[in-house]
């Protein structure tokens, strides 16, 4: 849809190499040549914006050992139940599974090593803007409003807080180097219309059985659903599996038609997530996957845990 090189969005930073959403992972992704650094944004008890993927703390921090009596009835520890000063004392580790022990990605950074901290959105923007200044590059941010409906039930308007911080740091219009993303279509429309946001917006597209939001993704994925998204958003962030199927005859990937339909609606397409250690069927390695998605499907950007692999594949396409 454009002639510029597809955007490489560092998914939770260089999370293939370092614990996700740590400043170390963000600095590494920056150095590897990312176009955007991604921030998942949740709110603390004292309404600070925290960069973490989950509304829970227990999969990526030592909270259970440090604050054993602070879980809710479901046994989970919530970012919303802690002040920033408490969150700052936690150690962040590589993501573990629901048993609290097993690594989700066994080949990655050890789950029991290192000294890493939780970062606020402000911490991260200051790191990025500082690097932009010292390096002369212009890397953007790509914040996601996480579970806005849940946050509202908890008494906080996450979108409003986010837009306030972005404004403070100079992100105000569609010309600024930022995309704001959200799974909740009602919230994304609210961000544009009620909160008057002038930034570029991306509608994330999941599957209905994930329970991410009340949004009906089966409707959004249709041509008319995409046209409706285009009324408020500049792009879509679909799941990679929504973009292709495998041919019965030879098992080769073929287009699902999604990217074409999204482009016809005037939307950029930034699929998630390209992982060198978790490839979909039909691809031998991540470089081949990037080549095909860019060369055949014509995507406009991609979310990846492996910024370096994506950047190298875009610089040296095989096709
Ligand atoms: Ca995200």
């Amino acid at each position: 849809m454009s002639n510029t090189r597809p955007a490489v969005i560092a998914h939770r930073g260089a999370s293939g190499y370092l614990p996700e959403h740590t400043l170390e992972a963000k600095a590494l992704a920056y150095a590897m040549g990312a176009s955007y650094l991604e921030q998942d944004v949740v709110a603390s008890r004292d309404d600070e914006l925290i960069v973490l993927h989950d509304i829970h703390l227990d999969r990526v921090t030592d909270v259970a050992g440090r604050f054993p009596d602070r879980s809710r009835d479901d046994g989970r520890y919530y970012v919303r139940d802690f002040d920033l000063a408490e969150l700052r004392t936690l150690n962040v580790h590589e993501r573990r599974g629901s048993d609290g022990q097993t690594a989700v990605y066994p080949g990655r950074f050890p789950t029991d090593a290192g000294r890493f901290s939780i970062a606020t959105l402000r911490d991260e923007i200051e790191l990025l803007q500082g690097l932009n200044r010292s390096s002369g590059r212009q890397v953007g941010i790509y914040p996601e409003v996480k579970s806005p409906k849940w946050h509202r039930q908890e008494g906080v308007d996450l979108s409003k807080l986010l837009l306030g911080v972005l404004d403070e740091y100079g992100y105000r219009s569609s010309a600024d180097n930022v995309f704001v993303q959200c799974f909740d279509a009602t919230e994304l429309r609210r961000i544009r219309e009620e909160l008057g946001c002038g930034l570029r917006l991306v509608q994330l597209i999941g599957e209905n059985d994930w329970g991410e939001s009340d949004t009906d993704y089966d409707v959004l994925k249709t041509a008319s659903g995409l046209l409706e998204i285009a009324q408020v958003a500049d792009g879509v962030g679909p799941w990679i599996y929504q973009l292709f199927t495998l041919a019965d005859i030879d098992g080769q990937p073929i287009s699902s038609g999604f990217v074409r339909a999204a482009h016809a609606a005037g939307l950029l397409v930034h699929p998630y997530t390209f992982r060198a250690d978790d490839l979909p069927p039909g691809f031998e390695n991540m470089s081949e996957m990037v080549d095909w998605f860019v060369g055949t499907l014509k995507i406009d950007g991609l979310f990846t845990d492996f910024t370096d692999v994506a950047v190298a594949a875009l610089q040296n396409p095989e096709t």
Side-chain angles (χ1 to χ4, degrees), residues 137-211:
R137 289 173 53 204
Q138 286 302 323
V139 175
I141 58 169
Y142 210 123
E144 178 182 348
V145 180
K146 299 296 286 192
S147 307
K149 187 179 168 189
W150 181 86
H151 274 95
R152 202 144 44 235
Q153 287 162 359
E154 294 284 319
V156 57
D157 186 340
L158 188 61
S159 299
K160 203 169 175 181
L161 281 183
L162 171 64
L163 296 182
V165 171
L166 295 182
D167 183 80
E168 271 182 54
Y169 284 93
Y171 300 104
R172 292 176 193 132
S173 80
S174 59
D176 294 319
N177 210 1
V178 53
F179 283 97
V180 173
Q181 46 168 338
C182 192
F183 272 105
D184 185 325
T186 306
E187 186 70 8
L188 203 70
R189 183 172 285 275
R190 177 177 172 263
I191 288 170
R192 180 68 86 210
E193 294 177 351
E194 190 182 321
L195 300 179
C197 176
L199 305 174
R200 292 176 298 176
L201 303 180
V202 165
Q203 173 68 53
L204 296 171
I205 302 188
E207 292 288 312
N208 287 345
D209 60 9
W210 295 353

Side-chain angles (χ1 to χ4, degrees), residues 77-95:
Y77 296 80
Y78 288 74
V79 178
R80 185 65 181 155
D81 295 338
F82 294 81
D83 289 333
L84 175 59
E86 294 171 323
L87 296 170
R88 292 255 192 233
T89 69
L90 299 177
N91 194 42
V92 176
H93 55 67
E94 179 68 28
R95 177 169 287 271

Side-chain angles (χ1 to χ4, degrees), residues 6-82:
V8 176
I9 305 146
H11 182 247
R12 311 182 199 175
S15 54
Y17 302 98
L18 281 163
E20 64 184 52
H21 282 319
T22 59
L23 292 181
E24 288 85 351
K26 300 302 168 75
L28 183 58
Y30 192 104
M32 287 173 164
S35 333
Y36 293 88
L37 305 183
E38 191 212 19
Q39 300 80 31
D40 291 310
V41 177
V42 295
S44 69
R45 185 164 61 187
D46 48 352
D47 287 349
E48 290 289 339
L49 295 182
I50 307 299
V51 180
L52 279 177
H53 180 265
D54 306 340
I55 55 174
H56 310 113
L57 289 160
D58 30 274
R59 302 287 190 261
V60 293
T61 76
D62 58 352
V63 66
R66 305 289 299 284
F67 296 95
D69 56 346
R70 296 275 293 277
S71 63
R72 293 194 184 184
D73 291 343
D74 60 3
R76 305 298 303 270
Y77 296 80
Y78 288 74
V79 178
R80 185 65 181 155
D81 295 338
F82 294 81

